[in-house]
Amino acid sequence: MLSAVERKIEQFVAELNDKEVTALYAKLPHGKRLRAKLILKIAGASLSVIKTAAVVEMIHAASLLHDDVIDDAYTRRSKPSLNALYGNKTAIMLGDILYSKGFFELNNISADVAKTVSNAVTQLSLGELKDVSLSNAFNLDREVYLEMIYQKTASLIEASAGAAALLAGKPKEVYMTYGRNLGLGFQMIDDILDITSDAETLGKPALHDFVEGKTTLPYIYLYEVLNAQEKEKLEALHGKVLSKEEQTWILGQMKAHKIVEKSYMEAKVLIDEAIALMDAHGEPSLSGIAREMIERDF
Ligand code: FPP
Ligand code: MG
């Protein structure tokens, strides 16, 4: 039924009656459509469910268009990003167009669904702002990191699950908790993959987050266990282009202190909770989505 969501997005884009926008949208890689999948699995495939899934994916696509401009990212899903191909101005405007059309369509669903989704967009934006501000310094506060990834990533996944529950007449809080845990776990794993994957698999250079000034969970944990001299060295490398030796040093320290394992376990606890919750509510395909996430390659 994911294809029905793709068609709905294409229809919404076609309704804008603008050849340039249609052509630009066709250039965007689709990604995993995780949020749409969750919505369909929770709520079936009625027209309002398909519309909600389409709107959420349009908002998500818009947020990534803006994020790649903010992050100066020239690749997205191993392909040149839209800002790399057509410049920042075009990427920002396509984001605004997808976002505003999605928002317009949201008004045709239900007030409860609209409230749930639109509130998440504010959280998303607050989270992105926090991510940018935090990159200016070496953040060592795990709670601050968790709050930021909740807002930046988990909020829209939580809202997707909550909106779908509303449409299906299922208990909203249960599904929101599932979505929140899934979203937090997802972002933690994404941050770990930035350290463990090679540039080719990742579609961006390895340790890119740290170079960008982002001290994700593994860096927070690494700092905690380093001695004073090593702490100073790690801090000095923060936010800088790394030489091969510096990269190797960071990766070696991560390995020596089993930092990836520790961070991964934290993501796994959250995902396991999500799995248990869905198992308890007779939703095996939703626990399946969570299970797949934790079984990604490291
Ligand atoms: C990716 O994070 C970014 C997000 C999940 C959220 C981005 C949100 C905004 C730009 C604000 C909302 C804007 C609109 C138009 C709705 P990342 O950089 O850690 O992940 P990446 O590796 O996939 O880039
Ligand atoms: Mg980014």
Side-chain angles (χ1 to χ4, degrees):
M1 276 332 260
L2 219 47
S3 59
V5 177
E6 298 299 346
R7 283 201 301 276
K8 186 53 74 185
I9 303 176
E10 283 159 18
Q11 181 204 319
F12 286 159
V13 172
E15 281 170 13
L16 299 170
N17 232 340
D18 187 295
K19 282 202 187 83
E20 186 183 0
V21 171
T22 304
L24 286 171
Y25 176 73
K27 295 265 179 211
L28 288 184
H30 291 177
K32 301 176 285 296
R33 299 290 197 216
L34 168 70
R35 293 151 191 82
K37 257 192 220 167
L38 285 185
I39 293 171
L40 294 173
K41 285 204 191 293
I42 295 170
S46 69
L47 183 59
S48 46
V49 174
I50 303 280
K51 276 188 187 172
T52 305
V55 165
V56 167
E57 288 294 346
M58 286 166 82
I59 292 172
H60 177 57
S63 77
L64 294 184
L65 283 166
H66 286 191
D67 178 68
D68 283 342
V69 172
I70 293 167
D71 286 349
D72 290 319
Y74 297 110
T75 53
R76 168 67 56 190
R77 301 182 172 117
S78 304
K79 296 213 174 95
S81 57
L82 205 92
N83 47 311
L85 292 172
Y86 303 104
N88 287 348
K89 295 177 187 178
T90 303
I92 289 173
M93 290 323 300
L94 184 65
D96 286 342
I97 291 161
L98 292 177
Y99 172 56
S100 53
K101 174 64 172 163
F103 226 81
F104 176 77
E105 294 301 331
L106 199 54
N107 286 310
N108 296 326
I109 307 172
S110 80
D112 278 353
V113 167
K115 257 189 207 165
T116 304
V117 174
S118 55
N119 175 49
V121 182
T122 310
Q123 292 300 316
L124 204 69
S125 309
L126 290 168
E128 184 79 351
L129 181 64
K130 209 167 270 172
D131 197 15
V132 170
S133 318
L134 288 174
S135 322
N136 296 325
F138 194 97
N139 172 51
L140 295 171
D141 191 331
R142 178 179 160 278
E143 293 305 319
V144 170
Y145 165 80
L146 289 177
E147 168 79 0
M148 184 275 287
I149 65 165
Y150 164 69
Q151 290 182 308
K152 182 181 76 165
T153 305
S155 62
L156 188 60
I157 301 178
E158 176 189 60
S160 302
L166 281 170
L167 290 166
K170 292 180 176 179
K172 190 181 176 200
E173 278 310 316
V174 169
Y175 289 83
M176 286 185 83
T177 304
Y178 164 78
R180 182 164 56 245
N181 278 23
L182 199 67
L184 290 170
F186 174 82
Q187 188 60 51
M188 283 178 185
I189 291 175
D190 211 58
D191 293 344
I192 295 170
L193 287 171
D194 189 78
I195 293 161
T196 58
S197 307
D198 56 34
E200 211 174 302
T201 327
L202 217 53
K204 60 183 176 184
L207 306 189
H208 188 252
D209 285 343
F210 196 63
V211 172
E212 285 285 298
K214 299 182 184 186
T215 44
T216 55
L217 194 60
Y219 296 97
I220 295 173
Y221 284 150
L222 179 62
Y223 189 85
E224 280 173 11
V225 296
L226 293 179
N227 67 32
Q229 203 187 346
E230 293 162 341
K231 276 186 168 62
E232 213 174 290
K233 178 164 178 176
L234 188 66
E235 270 183 278
L237 297 178
H238 169 251
K240 290 198 347 206
V241 177
L242 301 169
S243 68
K244 194 86 208 118
E245 288 73 32
E246 290 163 342
Q247 272 200 13
T248 309
W249 181 77
I250 293 177
L251 291 171
Q253 292 296 333
M254 292 266 181
K255 197 163 183 192
H257 296 285
K258 296 198 172 13
I259 297 299
V260 165
E261 291 83 341
K262 184 178 158 113
S263 310
Y264 175 78
M265 277 316 292
E266 190 155 343
K268 190 170 179 328
V269 167
L270 291 166
I271 304 259
D272 282 347
E273 264 174 40
I275 293 172
L277 194 60
M278 286 302 110
D279 282 346
H281 282 80
E283 296 272 21
S285 59
L286 289 172
S287 39
I289 290 186
R291 211 167 272 120
E292 274 169 31
M293 193 166 286
I294 207 72
E295 284 161 5
R296 279 157 84 184
D297 276 347
F298 281 91

CSV table of all heavy atoms in Angstrom, one decimal, residues 45-88:
chain,number,residue,atom,x,y,z
A,45,ALA,N,-5.6,1.2,5.3
A,45,ALA,CA,-5.3,2.0,4.0
A,45,ALA,C,-6.5,2.7,3.5
A,45,ALA,O,-6.8,2.8,2.3
A,45,ALA,CB,-4.7,1.0,3.0
A,46,SER,N,-7.3,3.3,4.5
A,46,SER,CA,-8.4,4.2,4.0
A,46,SER,C,-7.9,5.5,3.4
A,46,SER,O,-6.7,5.8,3.6
A,46,SER,CB,-9.3,4.5,5.2
A,46,SER,OG,-8.6,5.4,6.0
A,47,LEU,N,-8.7,6.2,2.7
A,47,LEU,CA,-8.2,7.5,2.1
A,47,LEU,C,-7.6,8.4,3.1
A,47,LEU,O,-6.5,9.0,2.8
A,47,LEU,CB,-9.4,8.1,1.3
A,47,LEU,CG,-9.0,9.4,0.5
A,47,LEU,CD1,-7.9,9.0,-0.5
A,47,LEU,CD2,-10.2,10.0,-0.2
A,48,SER,N,-8.2,8.6,4.3
A,48,SER,CA,-7.6,9.6,5.2
A,48,SER,C,-6.3,9.1,5.7
A,48,SER,O,-5.4,9.9,6.0
A,48,SER,CB,-8.6,9.9,6.3
A,48,SER,OG,-9.2,8.8,6.8
A,49,VAL,N,-6.1,7.8,5.8
A,49,VAL,CA,-4.8,7.2,6.3
A,49,VAL,C,-3.8,7.4,5.2
A,49,VAL,O,-2.7,7.9,5.5
A,49,VAL,CB,-5.0,5.7,6.6
A,49,VAL,CG1,-3.6,5.1,6.9
A,49,VAL,CG2,-5.9,5.4,7.7
A,50,ILE,N,-4.1,7.2,4.0
A,50,ILE,CA,-3.2,7.4,2.9
A,50,ILE,C,-2.8,8.9,2.8
A,50,ILE,O,-1.6,9.2,2.7
A,50,ILE,CB,-3.8,7.0,1.5
A,50,ILE,CG1,-4.3,5.6,1.5
A,50,ILE,CG2,-2.9,7.3,0.3
A,50,ILE,CD1,-3.2,4.5,1.3
A,51,LYS,N,-3.8,9.7,3.0
A,51,LYS,CA,-3.5,11.2,2.9
A,51,LYS,C,-2.6,11.6,4.1
A,51,LYS,O,-1.6,12.4,3.9
A,51,LYS,CB,-4.8,12.0,3.1
A,51,LYS,CG,-5.5,12.2,1.8
A,51,LYS,CD,-6.7,13.1,2.1
A,51,LYS,CE,-7.6,13.3,0.9
A,51,LYS,NZ,-8.8,14.0,1.3
A,52,THR,N,-2.8,11.1,5.3
A,52,THR,CA,-2.0,11.4,6.4
A,52,THR,C,-0.6,10.9,6.2
A,52,THR,O,0.4,11.7,6.5
A,52,THR,CB,-2.6,10.7,7.7
A,52,THR,OG1,-3.9,11.1,7.9
A,52,THR,CG2,-1.8,11.1,9.0
A,53,ALA,N,-0.4,9.7,5.7
A,53,ALA,CA,0.9,9.2,5.4
A,53,ALA,C,1.6,10.1,4.4
A,53,ALA,O,2.8,10.4,4.5
A,53,ALA,CB,0.8,7.7,4.9
A,54,ALA,N,0.9,10.5,3.3
A,54,ALA,CA,1.5,11.3,2.3
A,54,ALA,C,1.9,12.7,2.9
A,54,ALA,O,3.1,13.1,2.6
A,54,ALA,CB,0.5,11.6,1.2
A,55,VAL,N,1.1,13.3,3.7
A,55,VAL,CA,1.4,14.6,4.3
A,55,VAL,C,2.7,14.4,5.2
A,55,VAL,O,3.6,15.3,5.1
A,55,VAL,CB,0.2,15.1,5.1
A,55,VAL,CG1,0.7,16.2,6.0
A,55,VAL,CG2,-0.9,15.5,4.2
A,56,VAL,N,2.7,13.4,6.0
A,56,VAL,CA,3.9,13.2,6.9
A,56,VAL,C,5.1,13.0,6.1
A,56,VAL,O,6.2,13.6,6.4
A,56,VAL,CB,3.6,12.0,7.9
A,56,VAL,CG1,4.9,11.7,8.6
A,56,VAL,CG2,2.6,12.4,8.9
A,57,GLU,N,5.1,12.3,5.0
A,57,GLU,CA,6.3,12.1,4.2
A,57,GLU,C,6.7,13.3,3.5
A,57,GLU,O,7.9,13.6,3.3
A,57,GLU,CB,6.1,10.9,3.2
A,57,GLU,CG,6.1,9.5,3.9
A,57,GLU,CD,7.4,9.1,4.5
A,57,GLU,OE1,8.4,9.7,4.2
A,57,GLU,OE2,7.4,8.1,5.3
A,58,MET,N,5.7,14.2,3.1
A,58,MET,CA,6.1,15.5,2.5
A,58,MET,C,6.8,16.4,3.5
A,58,MET,O,7.7,17.1,3.2
A,58,MET,CB,4.8,16.1,1.9
A,58,MET,CG,4.3,15.4,0.6
A,58,MET,SD,2.6,16.0,0.2
A,58,MET,CE,3.0,17.5,-0.6
A,59,ILE,N,6.3,16.4,4.7
A,59,ILE,CA,6.9,17.2,5.8
A,59,ILE,C,8.3,16.7,6.0
A,59,ILE,O,9.3,17.4,6.1
A,59,ILE,CB,6.0,17.2,7.0
A,59,ILE,CG1,4.7,17.9,6.8
A,59,ILE,CG2,6.8,17.8,8.2
A,59,ILE,CD1,3.7,17.8,7.9
A,60,HIS,N,8.4,15.3,6.1
A,60,HIS,CA,9.7,14.8,6.4
A,60,HIS,C,10.7,15.1,5.2
A,60,HIS,O,11.9,15.5,5.5
A,60,HIS,CB,9.6,13.2,6.5
A,60,HIS,CG,10.9,12.5,6.7
A,60,HIS,ND1,11.8,12.8,7.7
A,60,HIS,CD2,11.5,11.5,6.0
A,60,HIS,CE1,12.8,12.1,7.6
A,60,HIS,NE2,12.7,11.3,6.6
A,61,ALA,N,10.3,15.0,4.0
A,61,ALA,CA,11.1,15.3,2.8
A,61,ALA,C,11.5,16.8,2.9
A,61,ALA,O,12.7,17.2,2.6
A,61,ALA,CB,10.4,15.0,1.5
A,62,ALA,N,10.6,17.7,3.3
A,62,ALA,CA,10.9,19.1,3.4
A,62,ALA,C,11.9,19.3,4.4
A,62,ALA,O,12.9,20.1,4.2
A,62,ALA,CB,9.6,19.9,3.7
A,63,SER,N,11.8,18.6,5.6
A,63,SER,CA,12.7,18.9,6.7
A,63,SER,C,14.2,18.4,6.2
A,63,SER,O,15.1,19.0,6.6
A,63,SER,CB,12.3,18.2,7.9
A,63,SER,OG,12.5,16.8,7.9
A,64,LEU,N,14.2,17.3,5.4
A,64,LEU,CA,15.6,16.9,5.0
A,64,LEU,C,16.2,17.8,4.0
A,64,LEU,O,17.4,18.1,3.9
A,64,LEU,CB,15.5,15.5,4.4
A,64,LEU,CG,15.1,14.4,5.4
A,64,LEU,CD1,15.2,13.0,4.8
A,64,LEU,CD2,16.1,14.4,6.6
A,65,LEU,N,15.3,18.4,3.1
A,65,LEU,CA,15.8,19.4,2.2
A,65,LEU,C,16.4,20.6,2.9
A,65,LEU,O,17.5,21.1,2.6
A,65,LEU,CB,14.7,19.9,1.3
A,65,LEU,CG,14.2,19.0,0.2
A,65,LEU,CD1,12.9,19.4,-0.4
A,65,LEU,CD2,15.3,18.9,-1.0
A,66,HIS,N,15.8,21.1,3.9
A,66,HIS,CA,16.3,22.2,4.7
A,66,HIS,C,17.5,21.7,5.5
A,66,HIS,O,18.5,22.4,5.6
A,66,HIS,CB,15.2,22.7,5.7
A,66,HIS,CG,14.2,23.5,5.0
A,66,HIS,ND1,13.3,24.3,5.7
A,66,HIS,CD2,13.9,23.7,3.7
A,66,HIS,CE1,12.5,24.9,4.8
A,66,HIS,NE2,12.8,24.5,3.6
A,67,ASP,N,17.5,20.5,6.1
A,67,ASP,CA,18.6,20.0,6.9
A,67,ASP,C,19.9,19.9,6.1
A,67,ASP,O,20.9,20.2,6.6
A,67,ASP,CB,18.2,18.6,7.4
A,67,ASP,CG,19.3,18.0,8.3
A,67,ASP,OD1,19.6,18.6,9.3
A,67,ASP,OD2,19.9,17.0,7.8
A,68,ASP,N,19.8,19.5,4.8
A,68,ASP,CA,21.0,19.4,4.0
A,68,ASP,C,21.6,20.7,3.7
A,68,ASP,O,22.8,20.9,3.6
A,68,ASP,CB,20.7,18.6,2.7
A,68,ASP,CG,20.6,17.1,2.9
A,68,ASP,OD1,21.1,16.6,4.0
A,68,ASP,OD2,20.0,16.4,2.1
A,69,VAL,N,20.7,21.8,3.6
A,69,VAL,CA,21.3,23.1,3.5
A,69,VAL,C,22.0,23.5,4.8
A,69,VAL,O,23.1,24.0,4.8
A,69,VAL,CB,20.1,24.1,3.1
A,69,VAL,CG1,20.7,25.6,3.1
A,69,VAL,CG2,19.6,23.8,1.7
A,70,ILE,N,21.3,23.3,5.9
A,70,ILE,CA,21.8,23.7,7.2
A,70,ILE,C,23.1,22.9,7.5
A,70,ILE,O,24.1,23.5,8.0
A,70,ILE,CB,20.8,23.4,8.3
A,70,ILE,CG1,19.6,24.3,8.1
A,70,ILE,CG2,21.4,23.5,9.7
A,70,ILE,CD1,18.3,23.9,9.0
A,71,ASP,N,23.2,21.7,7.1
A,71,ASP,CA,24.4,20.8,7.4
A,71,ASP,C,25.4,20.9,6.3
A,71,ASP,O,26.4,20.2,6.4
A,71,ASP,CB,24.0,19.3,7.5
A,71,ASP,CG,23.3,19.1,8.8
A,71,ASP,OD1,23.3,20.0,9.7
A,71,ASP,OD2,22.7,18.0,9.0
A,72,ASP,N,25.2,21.7,5.3
A,72,ASP,CA,26.1,21.7,4.1
A,72,ASP,C,26.4,20.3,3.6
A,72,ASP,O,27.5,20.0,3.3
A,72,ASP,CB,27.5,22.4,4.5
A,72,ASP,CG,27.4,23.9,4.7
A,72,ASP,OD1,26.6,24.5,4.0
A,72,ASP,OD2,28.0,24.3,5.7
A,73,ALA,N,25.3,19.5,3.5
A,73,ALA,CA,25.5,18.1,3.1
A,73,ALA,C,25.3,18.1,1.6
A,73,ALA,O,24.3,18.5,1.0
A,73,ALA,CB,24.5,17.3,3.8
A,74,TYR,N,26.3,17.5,0.9
A,74,TYR,CA,26.2,17.4,-0.6
A,74,TYR,C,25.7,16.0,-1.0
A,74,TYR,O,25.6,15.8,-2.2
A,74,TYR,CB,27.5,17.8,-1.2
A,74,TYR,CG,27.7,19.3,-0.8
A,74,TYR,CD1,28.7,19.7,0.1
A,74,TYR,CD2,26.9,20.3,-1.3
A,74,TYR,CE1,28.9,21.0,0.5
A,74,TYR,CE2,27.0,21.6,-0.9
A,74,TYR,CZ,28.0,22.0,0.0
A,74,TYR,OH,28.1,23.3,0.3
A,75,THR,N,25.5,15.1,-0.1
A,75,THR,CA,24.9,13.8,-0.5
A,75,THR,C,23.7,13.5,0.4
A,75,THR,O,23.7,13.9,1.6
A,75,THR,CB,25.9,12.7,-0.4
A,75,THR,OG1,26.5,12.7,1.0
A,75,THR,CG2,27.1,12.8,-1.4
A,76,ARG,N,22.8,12.8,-0.1
A,76,ARG,CA,21.6,12.3,0.6
A,76,ARG,C,21.3,11.0,0.0
A,76,ARG,O,21.1,10.8,-1.2
A,76,ARG,CB,20.5,13.3,0.5
A,76,ARG,CG,19.1,12.9,0.9
A,76,ARG,CD,18.9,12.7,2.4
A,76,ARG,NE,19.3,13.8,3.3
A,76,ARG,CZ,19.3,13.7,4.6
A,76,ARG,NH1,19.1,12.5,5.2
A,76,ARG,NH2,19.7,14.7,5.4
A,77,ARG,N,21.3,10.0,0.9
A,77,ARG,CA,21.0,8.6,0.5
A,77,ARG,C,22.0,8.2,-0.7
A,77,ARG,O,21.5,7.7,-1.7
A,77,ARG,CB,19.6,8.4,0.0
A,77,ARG,CG,18.6,8.7,1.2
A,77,ARG,CD,17.2,8.5,1.0
A,77,ARG,NE,16.5,8.7,2.2
A,77,ARG,CZ,15.6,9.7,2.5
A,77,ARG,NH1,15.3,10.5,1.5
A,77,ARG,NH2,15.0,9.7,3.6
A,78,SER,N,23.2,8.5,-0.5
A,78,SER,CA,24.3,8.2,-1.4
A,78,SER,C,24.2,8.8,-2.8
A,78,SER,O,24.9,8.5,-3.7
A,78,SER,CB,24.4,6.6,-1.6
A,78,SER,OG,24.6,6.0,-0.4
A,79,LYS,N,23.3,9.8,-2.9
A,79,LYS,CA,23.2,10.5,-4.2
A,79,LYS,C,23.5,12.0,-3.9
A,79,LYS,O,23.3,12.5,-2.8
A,79,LYS,CB,21.8,10.4,-4.8
A,79,LYS,CG,21.5,9.0,-5.1
A,79,LYS,CD,20.5,9.0,-6.4
A,79,LYS,CE,20.2,7.6,-6.9
A,79,LYS,NZ,19.0,7.0,-6.4
A,80,PRO,N,23.8,12.8,-4.9
A,80,PRO,CA,23.9,14.2,-4.7
A,80,PRO,C,22.6,14.8,-4.1
A,80,PRO,O,21.6,14.5,-4.6
A,80,PRO,CB,24.2,14.8,-6.1
A,80,PRO,CG,24.7,13.7,-6.9
A,80,PRO,CD,24.0,12.5,-6.4
A,81,SER,N,22.8,15.6,-3.1
A,81,SER,CA,21.6,16.2,-2.5
A,81,SER,C,21.0,17.3,-3.4
A,81,SER,O,21.7,17.7,-4.4
A,81,SER,CB,21.9,16.9,-1.1
A,81,SER,OG,22.9,17.8,-1.3
A,82,LEU,N,19.8,17.7,-3.2
A,82,LEU,CA,19.2,18.7,-4.1
A,82,LEU,C,19.9,20.0,-4.1
A,82,LEU,O,20.1,20.7,-5.1
A,82,LEU,CB,17.7,18.9,-3.8
A,82,LEU,CG,16.9,19.4,-5.0
A,82,LEU,CD1,16.3,18.2,-5.8
A,82,LEU,CD2,15.8,20.4,-4.5
A,83,ASN,N,20.4,20.4,-2.9
A,83,ASN,CA,21.2,21.6,-2.8
A,83,ASN,C,22.5,21.5,-3.5
A,83,ASN,O,23.0,22.5,-4.1
A,83,ASN,CB,21.4,22.0,-1.3
A,83,ASN,CG,21.9,20.9,-0.4
A,83,ASN,OD1,21.3,19.8,-0.4
A,83,ASN,ND2,22.9,21.1,0.4
A,84,ALA,N,23.1,20.3,-3.6
A,84,ALA,CA,24.3,20.1,-4.4
A,84,ALA,C,24.0,20.3,-5.8
A,84,ALA,O,24.8,20.9,-6.6
A,84,ALA,CB,24.9,18.8,-4.1
A,85,LEU,N,22.8,19.8,-6.3
A,85,LEU,CA,22.5,19.8,-7.7
A,85,LEU,C,22.0,21.2,-8.1
A,85,LEU,O,22.4,21.7,-9.2
A,85,LEU,CB,21.4,18.8,-8.0
A,85,LEU,CG,21.8,17.3,-7.9
A,85,LEU,CD1,20.5,16.4,-8.0
A,85,LEU,CD2,22.8,17.0,-9.0
A,86,TYR,N,21.2,21.8,-7.3
A,86,TYR,CA,20.5,23.1,-7.8
A,86,TYR,C,20.7,24.3,-6.9
A,86,TYR,O,20.1,25.3,-7.2
A,86,TYR,CB,19.0,22.8,-8.0
A,86,TYR,CG,18.7,21.7,-8.9
A,86,TYR,CD1,18.3,20.4,-8.4
A,86,TYR,CD2,18.8,21.8,-10.3
A,86,TYR,CE1,18.0,19.4,-9.3
A,86,TYR,CE2,18.6,20.8,-11.1
A,86,TYR,CZ,18.2,19.6,-10.6
A,86,TYR,OH,17.9,18.5,-11.5
A,87,GLY,N,21.5,24.1,-5.8
A,87,GLY,CA,21.8,25.2,-5.0
A,87,GLY,C,20.8,25.3,-3.8
A,87,GLY,O,19.7,24.7,-3.8
A,88,ASN,N,21.3,26.1,-2.8
A,88,ASN,CA,20.5,26.2,-1.5
A,88,ASN,C,19.1,26.8,-1.7
A,88,ASN,O,18.1,26.4,-1.1
A,88,ASN,CB,21.3,27.0,-0.5
A,88,ASN,CG,22.5,26.3,0.1
A,88,ASN,OD1,22.6,25.1,-0.1
A,88,ASN,ND2,23.3,27.0,0.7
